[in-house]
């Protein structure tokens, strides 16, 4: 699943009123001044010109030119690892949702109100101590031999506790009208294998802190031999990390589709009882799709060779980490000290009400979503974005016709795939039913546990049923966008359809450079290096000719090399292979949105506004949505794990586009300037 991301399953993308103005670098007092009803929320035409740094040449650093003053003047809030346009809008969404939940909490019949209020009731959580989690910990400790380990792992999975193997129900990529079960590598407490295996001093420091964190959690729980048990867990996970595929290998849709009988999986990986595990999570199937076969085989062997006490201890620690927010404060604080501060550099934990909003919105999503969209998503916004989508699709169709590297027969199929797209805007047409989910006052731990189990049961129940085509992977309150390859769908939740991404009162150039390029981005994910492997029905199959694939790979290889060269932190480069899908989608989406913008002018010249031409405003709109400021630990984490390049490098994609050169006239020798023959041209 990815946010702007999408590979084998889904791809995702990763401001309003006064808050939007603050994010764009304007002082809060000025931001709170009333805006005219016919004026855009940001600046005079939808772009925050005050956040620019005009003394930086666009050709040296387009990100700094468009956002350098914003970067200097913006302080990252103490409870965030980074700060961006996405975060500002998410804050707006969070505040709005809080208001709705506070009202709901006054109604004793409201499930979402009860869940929200109970999550906020830390006094009761403290009074109960560890009593709520003790029955589950006792179940783990009762395991005497490995014969019962697979069943215990299944129960942990149902409870929402991270386990060595991830599994789930989703559309079969080679039969997209049928649900199937997949299994993939897991089992790491740190974000990526590199955290265990790298000799970089910062990563060595992080894994030392991780081992200390585990020991502290054991100590807080009154467990003996904390240090030795922590070391054993880290040693076990280090061997798992050696078995893992890299993130670049794991994004290959062909290599990660390995359908086999469970009996054959058992023969391939005899160290773990997979049949018992699948039955335990409610999916007793005969065949599964295995994501990383060699890793699964090695991991099963590791499980067979590891003492049962270590396997149990790993589940105990994962349980404390998973439920720390609904356990006494000492566990919550210790978990944040590592996961928030060490891994992401965040000094302060979010206020309890913010986490209550996040938990309630995640646990009872559609019940919250219904009242959110009724209050905050006007039909006029949906209609305006519908038109933008149609315009960008039309532009993409023209671009397809003009591709010199794609064969005529493939172009016919590509047009058919574009015609098959399902744009999903604002919110889904149908809502999930939570009547079977019990939410009790005064039982925050139980509510979270029952919610996790409800979600597991809900997904398992999809087996044998028609695909839920109405179901979204994103809530309307989420500031993101998504492409789903098996559904051939593109999704834009209500919360992202606000400034700076979209403002009906803003200059069209800024809207096309913002949400228009995001629309093009998600659309083009269906034709990136992985999305292009799915046909117009969402089936994983080769529908391009061999020559098409070779020509495409030659172009994308240049994009990989371009991004590999970027080094946002000393010793840490952007991974061009990991970020390839997103970078390709940025290049294609921005190109299609540019064409759609010009088509919308109807043959007329765009006006000059505040000294900026239409093309300049278009590209500034693009740069504005990628404003982000990171803490160092967060940036390091993202460079190792995120399939998206940092915002600075996303803004730099313009160096490959001829119209950008015409708009800003950069000079030879400036850092971003590429000779025409060196520019990456894909779409």
């Amino acid at each position: 699943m990815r946010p702007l991301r999408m590979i084998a399953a889904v791809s995702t993308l990763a401001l309003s009123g006064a808050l939007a103005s603050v994010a764009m670098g304007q002082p809060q007092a000025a931001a709170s001044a009333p805006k005219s009803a016919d004026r855009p929320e940001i600046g005079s035409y939808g772009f925050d010109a005050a956040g620019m740094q005009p003394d930086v040449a666009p050709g040296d650093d387009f990100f700094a030119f468009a956002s350098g003053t914003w970067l200097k003047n913006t302080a990252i809030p103490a409870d965030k690892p980074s700060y961006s346009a996405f975060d500002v809008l998410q804050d707006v969404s969070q505040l709005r949702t809080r208001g709705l939940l506070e009202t709901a909490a006054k109604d004793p019949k409201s499930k979402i109100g009860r869940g929200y209020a109970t999550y906020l009731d830390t006094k009761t959580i403290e009074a109960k101590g560890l009593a709520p989690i003790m029955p589950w910990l006792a179940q783990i400790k009762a395991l005497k031999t490995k014969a019962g380990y697979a069943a215990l792992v299944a129960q942990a999975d149902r409870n929402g506790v991270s386990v060595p193997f991830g599994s789930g129900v989703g559309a079969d990529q080679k039969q997209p009208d049928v649900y199937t079960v997949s299994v993939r590598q897991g089992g790491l407490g740190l974000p990526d294998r590199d955290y265990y295996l790298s000799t970089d001093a910062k990563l060595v420091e992080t894994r030392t802190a991780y081992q200390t964190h585990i020991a502290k959690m054991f100590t807080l729980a009154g467990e003996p031999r904390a240090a030795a048990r922590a070391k054993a867990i880290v040693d076990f996970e280090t061997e798992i990390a050696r078995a893992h595929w890299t993130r670049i290998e794991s994004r290959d849709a062909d290599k990660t589709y390995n359908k086999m009988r469970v009996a054959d999986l058992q023969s391939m990986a005899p160290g773990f009882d997979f049949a018992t595990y699948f039955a335990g999570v409610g999916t007793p199937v005969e065949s599964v799709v295995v994501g990383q076969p060699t890793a699964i085989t090695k991991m099963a062997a590791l499980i067979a060779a590891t003492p049962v006490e270590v396997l149990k201890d790993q589940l105990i620690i994962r349980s404390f980490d998973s439920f720390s927010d609904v356990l006494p404060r000492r566990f919550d604080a210790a978990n944040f000290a590592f996961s928030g501060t060490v891994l992401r550099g965040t000094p302060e934990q979010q206020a309890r009400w913010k986490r209550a909003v996040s938990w309630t919105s995640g646990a009872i999503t559609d019940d919250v979503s219904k009242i959110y969209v009724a209050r905050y998503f006007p039909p006029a916004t949906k209609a305006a974005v519908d038109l933008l989508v149609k315009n960008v699709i039309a532009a993409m169709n023209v671009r397809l016709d003009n591709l010199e590297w794609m064969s005529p027969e493939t172009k016919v199929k590509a047009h058919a795939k574009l015609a098959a797209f399902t744009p999903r805007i604002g919110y889904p047409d149908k809502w999930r039913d939570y009547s079977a989910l019990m939410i009790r006052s005064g039982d925050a731990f139980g509510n979270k546990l029952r919610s996790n189990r409800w979600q597991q049961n809900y997904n398992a129940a999809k087996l044998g049923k028609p695909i839920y085509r109405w179901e979204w992977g994103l809530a309307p309150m989420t500031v993101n966008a998504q492409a789903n390859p098996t559904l051939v769908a593109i999704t834009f939740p209500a919360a992202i359809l606000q400034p700076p991404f979209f403002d009906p009162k803003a200059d069209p150039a800024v809207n096309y450079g913002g949400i228009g390029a995001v629309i093009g981005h998600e659309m083009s994910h269906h034709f990136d290096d992985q999305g292009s492997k799915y046909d117009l029905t969402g089936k994983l199959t080769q529908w391009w000719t061999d020559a098409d694939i070779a020509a495409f790979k030659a172009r994308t290889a240049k994009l990989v090399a371009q991004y590999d060269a970027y080094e946002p932190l000393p010793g840490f480069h952007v991974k061009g292979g990991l970020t390839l899908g997103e970078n390709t989608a940025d290049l294609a989406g921005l190109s299609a949105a540019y064409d759609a913008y010009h088509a919308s002018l109807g043959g007329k010249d765009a006006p000059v506004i505040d000294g900026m031409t239409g093309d300049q405003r278009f590209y500034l709109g693009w740069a504005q949505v990628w404003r982000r400021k990171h803490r160092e630990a967060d940036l390091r984490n993202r460079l190792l794990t995120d399939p998206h390049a940092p915002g600075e490098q996303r803004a730099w994609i313009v160096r490959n586009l001829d119209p950008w050169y015409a708009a800003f006239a950069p000079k030879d020798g400036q850092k971003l300037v590429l000779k025409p023959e060196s520019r990456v041209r894909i779409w």
Side-chain angles (χ1 to χ4, degrees):
M1 300 289 184
R2 43 173 178 172
L4 281 181
R5 292 171 209 171
M6 156 189 170
I7 294 202
V10 173
S11 165
T12 59
L13 183 73
L15 320 175
S16 177
L19 285 172
S21 298
V22 173
M24 296 297 102
Q26 299 171 13
Q28 192 163 3
S32 62
K35 299 285 286 186
S36 169
D38 60 351
R39 298 272 292 176
E41 290 284 344
I42 299 171
S44 62
Y45 57 86
F47 174 73
D48 168 39
M52 298 176 71
Q53 189 174 350
D55 61 339
V56 174
D60 278 328
D61 186 344
F62 189 60
F63 178 83
F65 170 74
S67 304
T69 298
W70 173 87
L71 193 67
K72 291 177 183 178
N73 293 343
T74 296
I76 303 173
D79 64 350
K80 296 185 189 297
S82 65
Y83 200 52
S84 68
F86 287 81
D87 294 295
V88 176
L89 272 187
Q90 200 62 61
D91 285 347
V92 171
S93 177
Q94 199 169 45
L95 279 168
R96 289 171 170 176
T97 307
R98 180 192 191 183
L100 298 172
L101 291 174
E102 292 281 0
T103 299
K106 298 173 184 177
D107 179 1
K109 296 181 180 179
S110 171
K111 184 172 291 186
I112 59 174
R114 190 160 56 250
Y116 174 74
T118 299
Y119 191 96
L120 285 173
D121 184 6
T122 54
K123 184 177 180 180
T124 298
I125 292 172
E126 289 292 333
K128 288 188 173 184
L130 291 182
I133 200 173
M134 290 307 292
W136 167 235
L137 296 182
Q139 189 177 341
I140 296 174
K141 292 179 179 181
L143 182 69
K144 300 303 180 186
T145 69
K146 290 183 186 173
Y149 178 64
L152 185 64
V153 167
Q155 184 60 51
D157 205 348
R158 292 190 68 246
N159 288 348
V161 175
S162 177
V163 299
F165 302 106
S167 73
V169 175
D172 188 320
Q173 294 169 68
K174 293 197 173 181
Q175 293 178 279
D177 288 330
V178 175
Y179 280 114
T180 191
V181 175
S182 63
V183 62
R184 57 199 177 276
Q185 65 187 24
L188 300 183
L190 289 169
D192 185 76
R193 67 194 301 273
D194 286 357
Y195 278 86
Y196 294 88
L197 307 179
S198 173
T199 58
D200 176 84
K202 289 290 186 180
L203 298 186
V204 171
E205 182 181 308
T206 300
R207 64 176 172 262
T208 300
Y210 174 54
Q211 186 168 317
T212 301
H213 161 69
I214 295 173
K216 183 172 184 177
M217 296 299 268
F218 276 133
T219 301
L220 289 174
E223 295 286 336
R225 298 184 306 104
R229 292 164 73 179
K231 182 179 185 303
I233 290 174
V234 174
D235 288 347
F236 173 52
E237 291 182 4
T238 299
E239 294 308 309
I240 291 177
R242 295 186 200 282
H244 267 210
W245 288 17
T246 67
R247 287 179 181 264
I248 294 175
E249 293 169 329
S250 293
R251 66 179 296 274
D252 190 311
D254 292 317
K255 292 180 179 178
T256 54
Y257 184 92
N258 303 278
K259 196 164 190 177
M260 61 183 71
R261 296 187 309 144
V262 173
D264 293 332
L265 170 61
Q266 195 66 69
S267 297
M268 182 185 81
F272 183 78
D273 187 350
F274 285 97
T276 294
Y277 165 75
F278 287 124
V281 294
T283 57
V285 291
E286 293 185 0
S287 64
V288 295
V289 175
V290 181
Q292 301 96 349
T294 58
I296 298 295
T297 297
K298 292 174 183 177
M299 289 171 62
L302 281 170
I303 289 171
T306 300
V308 70
E309 294 302 320
V310 176
L311 299 178
K312 290 159 58 176
D313 279 351
Q314 188 192 39
L315 289 179
I316 289 172
I317 289 299
R318 290 293 176 275
S319 298
F320 279 123
D321 287 342
S322 298
F323 288 95
S324 64
D325 59 331
V326 288
L327 291 174
R329 174 63 183 163
R330 62 186 185 275
F331 290 94
D332 193 24
N335 183 62
F336 175 76
F338 178 72
S339 63
T341 302
V342 174
L343 287 181
R344 307 298 295 275
T346 312
E348 294 180 8
Q349 194 171 33
Q350 282 193 339
R352 187 72 184 183
W353 73 261
K354 293 183 179 181
R355 295 192 288 151
V357 167
S358 297
W359 180 79
T360 311
S361 299
I364 323 170
T365 306
D366 289 10
D367 282 3
V368 179
S369 300
K370 281 187 284 189
I371 58 174
Y372 182 92
V373 297
R375 176 76 62 87
Y376 293 113
F377 190 63
T381 299
K382 184 178 178 69
V385 177
D386 271 331
L387 180 59
L388 273 169
V389 170
K390 291 175 183 176
N391 290 348
V392 177
I393 288 177
M396 184 66 82
N397 270 305
V398 174
R399 283 205 162 254
L400 277 172
D401 285 332
N402 294 330
L403 291 180
E404 63 180 27
W405 56 266
M406 184 179 281
S407 63
E409 57 266 39
T410 302
K411 287 182 180 180
V412 172
K413 296 175 182 177
H415 283 303
K417 185 173 182 180
L418 270 175
F421 275 12
T422 301
R424 307 192 295 188
I425 297 168
Y427 55 92
D429 297 326
K430 184 177 177 180
W431 305 107
R432 285 171 289 192
D433 177 9
Y434 297 90
S435 57
L437 172 60
M438 179 66 69
I439 298 293
R440 297 193 178 105
S441 296
D443 188 14
F445 180 90
N447 288 344
K448 186 168 186 176
L449 181 66
R450 287 186 293 274
S451 171
N452 291 342
R453 289 175 176 172
W454 180 91
Q455 189 64 58
Q456 179 78 31
N457 293 339
Y458 175 85
N459 288 328
K462 293 177 180 177
L463 286 172
K465 295 180 181 177
I467 296 292
Y468 294 6
R469 296 189 174 276
W470 54 269
E471 190 172 56
W472 287 23
L474 297 172
M477 302 83 72
T478 305
V479 185
N480 212 328
Q482 184 188 78
N484 187 306
T486 55
L487 293 179
V488 198
I490 49 177
T491 305
F492 308 98
I496 199 174
L497 303 176
Q498 302 177 78
F501 295 94
F502 175 71
D503 183 346
K505 298 182 179 65
D507 171 47
V510 176
N511 279 335
Y512 274 97
I515 197 63
V518 170
I519 291 166
H521 173 109
E522 297 302 340
M523 191 179 302
S524 61
H525 262 312
H526 291 277
F527 300 94
D528 69 16
D529 67 305
Q530 301 304 316
S532 61
K533 296 176 179 179
Y534 299 81
D535 68 12
L536 81 167
T537 69
K539 180 180 180 181
L540 180 62
T541 185
Q542 182 178 330
W543 56 280
W544 290 19
T545 68
D546 290 342
D548 294 329
I549 294 171
F552 187 71
K553 285 184 176 179
R555 285 160 173 76
T556 57
K558 294 179 181 178
L559 199 59
V560 170
Q562 187 177 107
Y563 276 80
D564 275 341
Y566 298 141
E567 189 178 4
L569 282 176
F572 290 87
H573 287 247
V574 176
K575 294 184 178 182
L578 177 61
T579 60
L580 176 58
E582 302 302 327
N583 299 333
T584 303
D586 282 348
L587 183 59
L590 193 57
S591 299
Y594 177 84
D595 291 352
Y597 166 58
H598 275 270
S600 75
L601 295 174
K604 298 179 181 178
D605 291 333
V608 174
I609 303 176
D610 292 353
M612 292 289 178
T613 67
D615 280 16
Q616 289 174 330
R617 299 193 303 275
F618 172 83
Y619 289 115
L620 288 172
W622 167 256
Q624 179 170 247
V625 301
W626 299 117
R627 288 180 174 180
R628 184 182 289 273
K629 189 171 185 176
H630 295 272
R631 301 186 192 279
E632 182 180 321
D634 176 68
L635 181 55
R636 184 180 301 108
N637 186 320
R638 288 172 181 268
L639 289 170
L640 291 171
T641 64
D642 195 341
H644 305 79
E648 186 172 7
Q649 285 70 45
R650 296 189 78 165
W652 291 352
I653 195 72
V654 297
R655 68 190 305 212
N656 297 292
L657 302 171
D658 294 346
W660 177 78
Y661 287 83
F664 291 96
K667 296 178 174 60
D668 289 344
Q670 292 179 334
K671 296 176 184 177
L672 291 184
V673 172
L674 295 170
K675 294 186 180 299
E677 62 272 17
S678 298
R679 298 168 196 168
V680 179
R681 305 177 191 277
I682 301 176
W683 289 100

